[in-house]
Amino acid sequence: MKFVIKLFPEITIKSTSVRKQMTKILRQNLQNLFRRYGISADVQNRWDSLVVIVNREDEAARRQAIQILSHTPGIASALEITEFTFETLDEAYQRVRDAYRERVAGKTFCVRIKRAGVHEFTSHQAEIYMGGGILKETDARAVSLKDPEVLVLAELRNDKVQVVKQTIKGLGGYPLGSQGEVLSLISGGFDSTVASYLMSRRGLKTHFCFFNLGGSAHEIGVKQVSHYLWSTYSESHRVKFVTVPFEEVVTEILTKVDTSQMGVVLKRMMMRAASRVADSLNLPALVTGEAVAQVASQTITNLAVIDQVSDHMILRPLAAMDKQDIIDIARRIGTESFAATMPEYCGVISVNPTTVGDRAKVEAAEAKFDMAVLEKALAEARYERIDNVLDGEASGLDQVQLVTTPAVSDIVIDIRHPSEAADAPLVLTNNKVLEIPFYDLDNRVADLVASNEGARFLLYCQKGTMSKIHAHHFVSEGRGDFGVLMDAVTPKKPIAGTEDDAE
């Protein structure tokens, strides 16, 4: 099978040297991902695109390829194509006509042709020729140039005609690793997960820093959503997950700091600690999910006071975004279900929090704080590779049933986003398949279990991570018999690290 990768438009307008460098990085990222899943694939570089040739024709490999191409930063879209040789325009037309015959039946259509090389016709002439032929020789209803029901797509490159089977929407953004590295302060809520995603999409290798304010459930939840973000959008690179125990820091603030300044002081302590963690990883910038005026500590004056304790660049991609817009992005990228159920530990709650940051007042409040407590927290920080954070008994995921061949009585639930399911449908011969997106699953589980008493439910998603987390959640709460349907793709292989990645 073959795919043509269209680059994010901002890449195509870069200088020749920058464009070549970004394309090289994207090519390497794709090679890493296909290799990680044991799929033999050739990634070839062309000036205006990349070509991916997957050396397997099974449906499981196709679904995995689509998952990779739709979730890798730097890709605007991917065209799944079938390629033929041709000598005359009519030969090319016949290939396009046959490929689209069933799809245009009874529908309006429009032909769009892209052309590269030397031909005796222009792209527009090819569109007219093919459009007239398809209208005459198929059951298409009519040609519609403005709002067609079916878009007939093909590319003519020298003596090859590439018939587009489907167009797969990509993430856009820049290739991961092309813009450097950052440390994202993550709490597992809507804001920090969306901020982390936006950084990865922009080409920044994003490490995670979590401040544990008191609770193993919260830590496990944050590890789960961080692992999900990494495995879904940035798995081509290895990153770190750092846990800083902040319970004693919170206690020190509650007992020593004036109540009106508690929120700002806590944020300053987090920023101090994050800066030290970033230094240890040689990272130049920090990322937070703060949005101006969302809470008392996030007024512009308070943010300015918070920033004064760090000499790192602090990026706030959500600074001017509305809360609903942030939630909408979380829903689209798959973190809404995590955020909505994440245990919340506020740490400190001020009765009358200050909204007008005053550096002198904050520093006076901090003067009573024993900085040895912060140093102790940093000394006890745990650095883990993100691909290892869900290992072991603590996460509980190692107890989830993993099934490659379902029993006939099993009910399979495809929890992928509807657009992913449409691009690569899951079709099983002997099992009932329900399509319930992950963000709607929790609301429908009770009715499903009640109406299918005694059944085992197998959750399916391409990576398996989201399915494992949901299955573990339902089983641990006694809500039914749940497992995970694993795709027939070779298990993931470790990512080759560098000396900087070594523990």
Side-chain angles (χ1 to χ4, degrees), residues 77-133:
S77 63
L79 309 179
E80 185 180 5
I81 66 168
T82 304
E83 190 173 71
F84 308 94
T85 59
F86 76 97
E87 293 184 0
T88 66
L89 177 58
D90 189 65
E91 287 180 356
Y93 153 69
Q94 290 179 40
R95 295 295 191 181
V96 175
R97 176 201 61 196
D98 293 346
Y100 278 90
R101 183 184 295 277
E102 294 184 3
R103 277 186 274 178
V104 299
K107 299 178 180 178
T108 60
F109 73 97
C110 177
V111 178
R112 288 289 179 261
I113 301 295
K114 289 188 176 181
R115 191 179 58 83
V118 179
H119 301 98
E120 296 179 348
F121 51 83
T122 65
S123 298
H124 184 59
Q125 289 171 335
E127 290 172 350
I128 294 174
Y129 185 90
M130 293 187 186

Short mmCIF file of all heavy atoms in Angstrom, two decimals, residues 77-133:
data_model
loop_
_atom_site.label_atom_id
_atom_site.label_comp_id
_atom_site.label_asym_id
_atom_site.label_seq_id
_atom_site.Cartn_x
_atom_site.Cartn_y
_atom_site.Cartn_z
N SER A 77 -1.89 16.37 5.38
CA SER A 77 -2.81 15.30 4.99
C SER A 77 -2.01 14.18 4.37
O SER A 77 -0.85 14.36 3.96
CB SER A 77 -3.87 15.81 4.01
OG SER A 77 -3.26 16.25 2.80
N ALA A 78 -2.63 13.01 4.32
CA ALA A 78 -2.01 11.85 3.68
C ALA A 78 -3.01 11.28 2.69
O ALA A 78 -4.19 11.12 3.01
CB ALA A 78 -1.62 10.80 4.72
N LEU A 79 -2.54 11.03 1.49
CA LEU A 79 -3.40 10.46 0.45
C LEU A 79 -3.09 8.97 0.31
O LEU A 79 -1.95 8.59 0.02
CB LEU A 79 -3.15 11.16 -0.89
CG LEU A 79 -3.21 12.70 -0.90
CD1 LEU A 79 -2.92 13.22 -2.30
CD2 LEU A 79 -4.56 13.19 -0.41
N GLU A 80 -4.08 8.15 0.55
CA GLU A 80 -3.92 6.72 0.29
C GLU A 80 -4.17 6.51 -1.20
O GLU A 80 -5.26 6.85 -1.70
CB GLU A 80 -4.90 5.90 1.12
CG GLU A 80 -4.69 4.40 0.96
CD GLU A 80 -5.67 3.58 1.79
OE1 GLU A 80 -6.57 4.17 2.41
OE2 GLU A 80 -5.52 2.34 1.80
N ILE A 81 -3.20 5.99 -1.91
CA ILE A 81 -3.29 5.95 -3.37
C ILE A 81 -3.10 4.54 -3.93
O ILE A 81 -2.55 3.66 -3.26
CB ILE A 81 -2.25 6.88 -4.02
CG1 ILE A 81 -0.83 6.37 -3.74
CG2 ILE A 81 -2.42 8.32 -3.54
CD1 ILE A 81 0.23 7.04 -4.58
N THR A 82 -3.58 4.38 -5.15
CA THR A 82 -3.24 3.22 -5.97
C THR A 82 -2.55 3.77 -7.21
O THR A 82 -3.06 4.71 -7.83
CB THR A 82 -4.49 2.43 -6.36
OG1 THR A 82 -5.21 2.06 -5.18
CG2 THR A 82 -4.11 1.17 -7.12
N GLU A 83 -1.42 3.21 -7.58
CA GLU A 83 -0.61 3.78 -8.66
C GLU A 83 -0.58 2.85 -9.87
O GLU A 83 -0.45 1.63 -9.74
CB GLU A 83 0.81 4.02 -8.15
CG GLU A 83 1.69 4.81 -9.10
CD GLU A 83 3.01 5.17 -8.46
OE1 GLU A 83 3.85 4.27 -8.27
OE2 GLU A 83 3.22 6.36 -8.14
N PHE A 84 -0.72 3.46 -11.07
CA PHE A 84 -0.67 2.73 -12.34
C PHE A 84 0.21 3.50 -13.32
O PHE A 84 0.38 4.72 -13.20
CB PHE A 84 -2.07 2.59 -12.95
CG PHE A 84 -3.10 2.02 -12.02
CD1 PHE A 84 -3.92 2.85 -11.28
CD2 PHE A 84 -3.26 0.64 -11.90
CE1 PHE A 84 -4.90 2.34 -10.44
CE2 PHE A 84 -4.22 0.11 -11.05
CZ PHE A 84 -5.04 0.97 -10.32
N THR A 85 0.75 2.80 -14.29
CA THR A 85 1.45 3.47 -15.39
C THR A 85 0.45 3.79 -16.50
O THR A 85 -0.58 3.13 -16.63
CB THR A 85 2.57 2.58 -15.95
OG1 THR A 85 1.99 1.34 -16.42
CG2 THR A 85 3.62 2.28 -14.90
N PHE A 86 0.75 4.83 -17.28
CA PHE A 86 -0.12 5.17 -18.41
C PHE A 86 0.72 5.81 -19.50
O PHE A 86 1.81 6.35 -19.26
CB PHE A 86 -1.24 6.12 -17.96
CG PHE A 86 -0.79 7.55 -17.74
CD1 PHE A 86 -0.96 8.52 -18.73
CD2 PHE A 86 -0.19 7.93 -16.55
CE1 PHE A 86 -0.53 9.83 -18.53
CE2 PHE A 86 0.23 9.23 -16.34
CZ PHE A 86 0.05 10.18 -17.33
N GLU A 87 0.21 5.74 -20.73
CA GLU A 87 0.86 6.38 -21.87
C GLU A 87 0.01 7.50 -22.43
O GLU A 87 0.53 8.52 -22.87
CB GLU A 87 1.16 5.34 -22.96
CG GLU A 87 2.21 4.32 -22.54
CD GLU A 87 2.56 3.37 -23.68
OE1 GLU A 87 1.98 3.52 -24.79
OE2 GLU A 87 3.39 2.47 -23.48
N THR A 88 -1.29 7.31 -22.42
CA THR A 88 -2.19 8.33 -22.96
C THR A 88 -3.13 8.83 -21.87
O THR A 88 -3.32 8.17 -20.84
CB THR A 88 -3.03 7.76 -24.11
OG1 THR A 88 -3.93 6.75 -23.59
CG2 THR A 88 -2.13 7.15 -25.18
N LEU A 89 -3.71 10.00 -22.10
CA LEU A 89 -4.66 10.56 -21.15
C LEU A 89 -5.85 9.62 -20.97
O LEU A 89 -6.36 9.46 -19.86
CB LEU A 89 -5.13 11.93 -21.63
CG LEU A 89 -6.20 12.63 -20.77
CD1 LEU A 89 -5.68 12.82 -19.34
CD2 LEU A 89 -6.59 13.97 -21.38
N ASP A 90 -6.27 8.96 -22.04
CA ASP A 90 -7.41 8.05 -21.94
C ASP A 90 -7.09 6.87 -21.03
O ASP A 90 -7.96 6.41 -20.28
CB ASP A 90 -7.82 7.54 -23.32
CG ASP A 90 -9.14 6.78 -23.28
OD1 ASP A 90 -10.17 7.41 -22.96
OD2 ASP A 90 -9.11 5.54 -23.52
N GLU A 91 -5.86 6.36 -21.08
CA GLU A 91 -5.48 5.26 -20.18
C GLU A 91 -5.54 5.71 -18.72
O GLU A 91 -6.01 4.97 -17.86
CB GLU A 91 -4.07 4.77 -20.52
CG GLU A 91 -3.98 3.97 -21.81
CD GLU A 91 -2.56 3.51 -22.10
OE1 GLU A 91 -1.65 3.87 -21.32
OE2 GLU A 91 -2.37 2.78 -23.07
N ALA A 92 -5.08 6.92 -18.46
CA ALA A 92 -5.14 7.45 -17.10
C ALA A 92 -6.60 7.61 -16.66
O ALA A 92 -6.98 7.27 -15.53
CB ALA A 92 -4.41 8.78 -17.01
N TYR A 93 -7.43 8.13 -17.59
CA TYR A 93 -8.84 8.32 -17.29
C TYR A 93 -9.52 7.00 -16.93
O TYR A 93 -10.30 6.93 -15.97
CB TYR A 93 -9.55 8.95 -18.50
CG TYR A 93 -11.01 8.60 -18.56
CD1 TYR A 93 -11.91 9.11 -17.62
CD2 TYR A 93 -11.50 7.73 -19.55
CE1 TYR A 93 -13.25 8.76 -17.67
CE2 TYR A 93 -12.83 7.39 -19.60
CZ TYR A 93 -13.70 7.89 -18.65
OH TYR A 93 -15.02 7.54 -18.68
N GLN A 94 -9.23 5.95 -17.67
CA GLN A 94 -9.87 4.66 -17.41
C GLN A 94 -9.56 4.15 -16.00
O GLN A 94 -10.41 3.57 -15.32
CB GLN A 94 -9.43 3.63 -18.45
CG GLN A 94 -9.97 3.91 -19.85
CD GLN A 94 -9.49 2.89 -20.86
OE1 GLN A 94 -9.40 1.70 -20.56
NE2 GLN A 94 -9.15 3.35 -22.05
N ARG A 95 -8.33 4.37 -15.54
CA ARG A 95 -7.96 3.96 -14.18
C ARG A 95 -8.75 4.76 -13.14
O ARG A 95 -9.25 4.20 -12.16
CB ARG A 95 -6.46 4.17 -13.97
CG ARG A 95 -5.57 3.29 -14.83
CD ARG A 95 -5.73 1.83 -14.47
NE ARG A 95 -4.69 1.01 -15.12
CZ ARG A 95 -4.61 -0.31 -14.98
NH1 ARG A 95 -5.51 -0.96 -14.24
NH2 ARG A 95 -3.65 -0.99 -15.59
N VAL A 96 -8.88 6.06 -13.37
CA VAL A 96 -9.61 6.91 -12.44
C VAL A 96 -11.10 6.55 -12.46
O VAL A 96 -11.74 6.42 -11.40
CB VAL A 96 -9.40 8.40 -12.79
CG1 VAL A 96 -10.27 9.29 -11.90
CG2 VAL A 96 -7.93 8.78 -12.67
N ARG A 97 -11.64 6.38 -13.64
CA ARG A 97 -13.07 6.02 -13.77
C ARG A 97 -13.39 4.73 -13.03
O ARG A 97 -14.36 4.66 -12.26
CB ARG A 97 -13.41 5.87 -15.25
CG ARG A 97 -14.85 5.41 -15.53
CD ARG A 97 -14.94 4.79 -16.92
NE ARG A 97 -14.07 3.60 -17.02
CZ ARG A 97 -13.71 3.06 -18.20
NH1 ARG A 97 -14.12 3.60 -19.34
NH2 ARG A 97 -12.94 1.99 -18.21
N ASP A 98 -12.60 3.71 -13.24
CA ASP A 98 -12.87 2.41 -12.60
C ASP A 98 -12.76 2.49 -11.09
O ASP A 98 -13.52 1.83 -10.36
CB ASP A 98 -11.90 1.35 -13.14
CG ASP A 98 -12.14 1.05 -14.62
OD1 ASP A 98 -13.20 1.45 -15.14
OD2 ASP A 98 -11.25 0.42 -15.25
N ALA A 99 -11.82 3.30 -10.59
CA ALA A 99 -11.64 3.41 -9.15
C ALA A 99 -12.81 4.13 -8.48
O ALA A 99 -13.15 3.83 -7.32
CB ALA A 99 -10.34 4.14 -8.85
N TYR A 100 -13.44 5.07 -9.20
CA TYR A 100 -14.50 5.88 -8.59
C TYR A 100 -15.90 5.49 -9.06
O TYR A 100 -16.88 6.13 -8.65
CB TYR A 100 -14.26 7.36 -8.90
CG TYR A 100 -13.26 8.02 -7.98
CD1 TYR A 100 -11.90 8.02 -8.28
CD2 TYR A 100 -13.67 8.62 -6.79
CE1 TYR A 100 -10.98 8.62 -7.43
CE2 TYR A 100 -12.76 9.23 -5.94
CZ TYR A 100 -11.41 9.21 -6.26
OH TYR A 100 -10.50 9.80 -5.42
N ARG A 101 -16.02 4.47 -9.89
CA ARG A 101 -17.32 4.13 -10.48
C ARG A 101 -18.41 3.95 -9.41
O ARG A 101 -19.51 4.51 -9.53
CB ARG A 101 -17.18 2.85 -11.31
CG ARG A 101 -18.48 2.46 -12.03
CD ARG A 101 -18.31 1.13 -12.75
NE ARG A 101 -17.34 1.20 -13.81
CZ ARG A 101 -17.58 1.66 -15.04
NH1 ARG A 101 -18.79 2.10 -15.34
NH2 ARG A 101 -16.63 1.66 -15.96
N GLU A 102 -18.14 3.16 -8.41
CA GLU A 102 -19.15 2.89 -7.38
C GLU A 102 -19.39 4.11 -6.49
O GLU A 102 -20.52 4.37 -6.07
CB GLU A 102 -18.73 1.70 -6.53
CG GLU A 102 -18.70 0.38 -7.29
CD GLU A 102 -18.36 -0.79 -6.39
OE1 GLU A 102 -18.21 -0.57 -5.16
OE2 GLU A 102 -18.23 -1.92 -6.90
N ARG A 103 -18.35 4.87 -6.22
CA ARG A 103 -18.49 6.00 -5.31
C ARG A 103 -19.32 7.15 -5.90
O ARG A 103 -19.95 7.90 -5.17
CB ARG A 103 -17.11 6.51 -4.89
CG ARG A 103 -16.50 5.72 -3.75
CD ARG A 103 -15.20 6.34 -3.26
NE ARG A 103 -14.05 5.88 -4.04
CZ ARG A 103 -12.82 6.29 -3.84
NH1 ARG A 103 -12.56 7.20 -2.91
NH2 ARG A 103 -11.82 5.80 -4.57
N VAL A 104 -19.28 7.32 -7.22
CA VAL A 104 -20.01 8.43 -7.83
C VAL A 104 -21.43 8.05 -8.24
O VAL A 104 -22.21 8.92 -8.66
CB VAL A 104 -19.25 8.99 -9.06
CG1 VAL A 104 -17.89 9.51 -8.67
CG2 VAL A 104 -19.15 7.94 -10.17
N ALA A 105 -21.78 6.77 -8.13
CA ALA A 105 -23.11 6.33 -8.57
C ALA A 105 -24.21 7.09 -7.84
O ALA A 105 -24.28 7.08 -6.61
CB ALA A 105 -23.26 4.83 -8.35
N GLY A 106 -25.06 7.78 -8.61
CA GLY A 106 -26.19 8.51 -8.05
C GLY A 106 -25.82 9.80 -7.34
O GLY A 106 -26.67 10.40 -6.69
N LYS A 107 -24.57 10.24 -7.49
CA LYS A 107 -24.12 11.43 -6.76
C LYS A 107 -23.51 12.46 -7.69
O LYS A 107 -23.09 12.15 -8.80
CB LYS A 107 -23.09 11.03 -5.69
CG LYS A 107 -23.62 10.08 -4.64
CD LYS A 107 -22.55 9.69 -3.65
CE LYS A 107 -23.10 8.74 -2.59
NZ LYS A 107 -22.06 8.31 -1.65
N THR A 108 -23.45 13.71 -7.21
CA THR A 108 -22.75 14.75 -7.95
C THR A 108 -21.25 14.61 -7.67
O THR A 108 -20.85 14.12 -6.60
CB THR A 108 -23.22 16.14 -7.53
OG1 THR A 108 -22.97 16.33 -6.13
CG2 THR A 108 -24.70 16.31 -7.79
N PHE A 109 -20.44 15.05 -8.61
CA PHE A 109 -18.99 14.89 -8.43
C PHE A 109 -18.25 16.02 -9.12
O PHE A 109 -18.80 16.77 -9.93
CB PHE A 109 -18.53 13.54 -8.99
CG PHE A 109 -18.51 13.48 -10.50
CD1 PHE A 109 -17.33 13.70 -11.21
CD2 PHE A 109 -19.67 13.23 -11.22
CE1 PHE A 109 -17.31 13.67 -12.59
CE2 PHE A 109 -19.66 13.19 -12.61
CZ PHE A 109 -18.48 13.40 -13.30
N CYS A 110 -16.97 16.10 -8.79
CA CYS A 110 -16.07 17.06 -9.42
C CYS A 110 -14.69 16.41 -9.51
O CYS A 110 -14.27 15.72 -8.56
CB CYS A 110 -16.01 18.34 -8.60
SG CYS A 110 -14.86 19.58 -9.23
N VAL A 111 -13.98 16.61 -10.60
CA VAL A 111 -12.66 16.01 -10.80
C VAL A 111 -11.59 17.05 -10.51
O VAL A 111 -11.66 18.19 -11.01
CB VAL A 111 -12.49 15.47 -12.23
CG1 VAL A 111 -11.09 14.90 -12.42
CG2 VAL A 111 -13.54 14.42 -12.53
N ARG A 112 -10.60 16.68 -9.71
CA ARG A 112 -9.47 17.55 -9.43
C ARG A 112 -8.18 16.77 -9.73
O ARG A 112 -7.92 15.73 -9.13
CB ARG A 112 -9.48 18.01 -7.97
CG ARG A 112 -10.58 19.01 -7.67
CD ARG A 112 -10.27 20.36 -8.32
NE ARG A 112 -11.32 21.36 -8.07
CZ ARG A 112 -12.28 21.67 -8.93
NH1 ARG A 112 -12.31 21.03 -10.10
NH2 ARG A 112 -13.18 22.57 -8.65
N ILE A 113 -7.40 17.30 -10.64
CA ILE A 113 -6.17 16.63 -11.08
C ILE A 113 -4.97 17.51 -10.78
O ILE A 113 -4.97 18.71 -11.07
CB ILE A 113 -6.21 16.32 -12.60
CG1 ILE A 113 -7.40 15.42 -12.93
CG2 ILE A 113 -4.89 15.68 -13.04
CD1 ILE A 113 -7.33 14.05 -12.32
N LYS A 114 -3.93 16.92 -10.20
CA LYS A 114 -2.63 17.58 -10.07
C LYS A 114 -1.66 16.87 -11.00
O LYS A 114 -1.71 15.66 -11.16
CB LYS A 114 -2.14 17.54 -8.62
CG LYS A 114 -2.94 18.44 -7.70
CD LYS A 114 -2.30 18.52 -6.32
CE LYS A 114 -3.06 19.50 -5.43
NZ LYS A 114 -2.43 19.62 -4.08
N ARG A 115 -0.74 17.64 -11.59
CA ARG A 115 0.12 17.07 -12.63
C ARG A 115 1.56 17.54 -12.44
O ARG A 115 1.82 18.68 -12.05
CB ARG A 115 -0.40 17.53 -14.00
CG ARG A 115 0.21 16.85 -15.19
CD ARG A 115 -0.43 17.39 -16.46
NE ARG A 115 -0.24 18.84 -16.54
CZ ARG A 115 0.86 19.42 -17.01
NH1 ARG A 115 1.87 18.70 -17.46
NH2 ARG A 115 0.96 20.73 -17.04
N ALA A 116 2.49 16.63 -12.65
CA ALA A 116 3.91 16.96 -12.59
C ALA A 116 4.62 16.21 -13.71
O ALA A 116 4.34 15.04 -13.95
CB ALA A 116 4.50 16.58 -11.24
N GLY A 117 5.50 16.88 -14.42
CA GLY A 117 6.18 16.25 -15.54
C GLY A 117 5.75 16.88 -16.86
O GLY A 117 5.03 17.89 -16.89
N VAL A 118 6.17 16.30 -17.95
CA VAL A 118 5.86 16.81 -19.30
C VAL A 118 4.75 15.97 -19.91
O VAL A 118 4.88 14.75 -20.08
CB VAL A 118 7.12 16.76 -20.20
CG1 VAL A 118 6.78 17.26 -21.60
CG2 VAL A 118 8.24 17.58 -19.59
N HIS A 119 3.63 16.64 -20.25
CA HIS A 119 2.50 15.96 -20.87
C HIS A 119 1.96 16.83 -22.01
O HIS A 119 2.27 18.02 -22.08
CB HIS A 119 1.38 15.69 -19.85
CG HIS A 119 1.80 14.86 -18.68
ND1 HIS A 119 2.17 15.41 -17.47
CD2 HIS A 119 1.94 13.51 -18.55
CE1 HIS A 119 2.49 14.44 -16.62
NE2 HIS A 119 2.37 13.28 -17.26
N GLU A 120 1.17 16.25 -22.86
CA GLU A 120 0.59 16.97 -24.00
C GLU A 120 -0.71 17.68 -23.61
O GLU A 120 -1.40 18.19 -24.48
CB GLU A 120 0.34 16.02 -25.16
CG GLU A 120 1.63 15.42 -25.74
CD GLU A 120 1.34 14.46 -26.88
OE1 GLU A 120 0.15 14.11 -27.07
OE2 GLU A 120 2.29 14.07 -27.58
N PHE A 121 -1.04 17.70 -22.35
CA PHE A 121 -2.29 18.29 -21.87
C PHE A 121 -2.01 19.00 -20.54
O PHE A 121 -1.03 18.72 -19.86
CB PHE A 121 -3.36 17.22 -21.68
CG PHE A 121 -2.89 16.04 -20.86
CD1 PHE A 121 -2.90 16.07 -19.47
CD2 PHE A 121 -2.39 14.90 -21.49
CE1 PHE A 121 -2.45 14.99 -18.72
CE2 PHE A 121 -1.93 13.82 -20.74
CZ PHE A 121 -1.96 13.86 -19.36
N THR A 122 -2.89 19.91 -20.19
CA THR A 122 -2.78 20.61 -18.92
C THR A 122 -3.63 19.90 -17.87
O THR A 122 -4.45 19.01 -18.20
CB THR A 122 -3.27 22.06 -19.05
OG1 THR A 122 -4.68 22.05 -19.35
CG2 THR A 122 -2.51 22.79 -20.15
N SER A 123 -3.49 20.30 -16.63
CA SER A 123 -4.31 19.72 -15.57
C SER A 123 -5.79 20.01 -15.81
O SER A 123 -6.65 19.14 -15.60
CB SER A 123 -3.88 20.29 -14.21
OG SER A 123 -2.55 19.95 -13.91
N HIS A 124 -6.08 21.22 -16.25
CA HIS A 124 -7.49 21.59 -16.51
C HIS A 124 -8.07 20.76 -17.64
O HIS A 124 -9.22 20.30 -17.56
CB HIS A 124 -7.56 23.08 -16.84
CG HIS A 124 -8.96 23.58 -17.03
ND1 HIS A 124 -9.92 23.48 -16.04
CD2 HIS A 124 -9.58 24.17 -18.11
CE1 HIS A 124 -11.06 23.99 -16.48
NE2 HIS A 124 -10.87 24.42 -17.73
N GLN A 125 -7.30 20.54 -18.69
CA GLN A 125 -7.79 19.70 -19.79
C GLN A 125 -8.04 18.27 -19.34
O GLN A 125 -9.01 17.63 -19.76
CB GLN A 125 -6.77 19.73 -20.94
CG GLN A 125 -6.71 21.05 -21.68
CD GLN A 125 -5.56 21.13 -22.66
OE1 GLN A 125 -4.55 20.45 -22.51
NE2 GLN A 125 -5.71 21.99 -23.68
N ALA A 126 -7.17 17.78 -18.44
CA ALA A 126 -7.36 16.42 -17.91
C ALA A 126 -8.64 16.35 -17.09
O ALA A 126 -9.38 15.35 -17.16
CB ALA A 126 -6.16 16.01 -17.08
N GLU A 127 -8.93 17.39 -16.31
CA GLU A 127 -10.15 17.40 -15.51
C GLU A 127 -11.39 17.39 -16.38
O GLU A 127 -12.35 16.67 -16.11
CB GLU A 127 -10.15 18.64 -14.60
CG GLU A 127 -9.10 18.59 -13.48
CD GLU A 127 -8.98 19.89 -12.72
OE1 GLU A 127 -9.57 20.91 -13.18
OE2 GLU A 127 -8.30 19.90 -11.68
N ILE A 128 -11.37 18.19 -17.45
CA ILE A 128 -12.53 18.25 -18.35
C ILE A 128 -12.73 16.89 -19.02
O ILE A 128 -13.86 16.37 -19.10
CB ILE A 128 -12.33 19.35 -19.40
CG1 ILE A 128 -12.32 20.73 -18.72
CG2 ILE A 128 -13.41 19.27 -20.47
CD1 ILE A 128 -11.98 21.87 -19.66
N TYR A 129 -11.65 16.29 -19.50
CA TYR A 129 -11.73 15.01 -20.20
C TYR A 129 -12.28 13.92 -19.27
O TYR A 129 -13.19 13.17 -19.63
CB TYR A 129 -10.35 14.61 -20.71
CG TYR A 129 -10.34 13.37 -21.56
CD1 TYR A 129 -10.51 13.44 -22.95
CD2 TYR A 129 -10.13 12.12 -20.99
CE1 TYR A 129 -10.49 12.29 -23.72
CE2 TYR A 129 -10.11 10.97 -21.75
CZ TYR A 129 -10.29 11.05 -23.12
OH TYR A 129 -10.28 9.91 -23.89
N MET A 130 -11.72 13.84 -18.08
CA MET A 130 -12.15 12.79 -17.15
C MET A 130 -13.56 13.04 -16.62
O MET A 130 -14.34 12.11 -16.46
CB MET A 130 -11.16 12.68 -15.99
CG MET A 130 -9.79 12.18 -16.41
SD MET A 130 -8.72 11.86 -14.99
CE MET A 130 -7.18 11.47 -15.82
N GLY A 131 -13.88 14.31 -16.34
CA GLY A 131 -15.22 14.62 -15.84
C GLY A 131 -16.29 14.25 -16.85
O GLY A 131 -17.32 13.65 -16.49
N GLY A 132 -16.05 14.58 -18.13
CA GLY A 132 -17.02 14.24 -19.16
C GLY A 132 -17.16 12.74 -19.33
O GLY A 132 -18.28 12.21 -19.50
N GLY A 133 -16.03 12.03 -19.27
CA GLY A 133 -16.08 10.58 -19.42
C GLY A 133 -16.81 9.91 -18.27
O GLY A 133 -17.63 9.00 -18.48
#
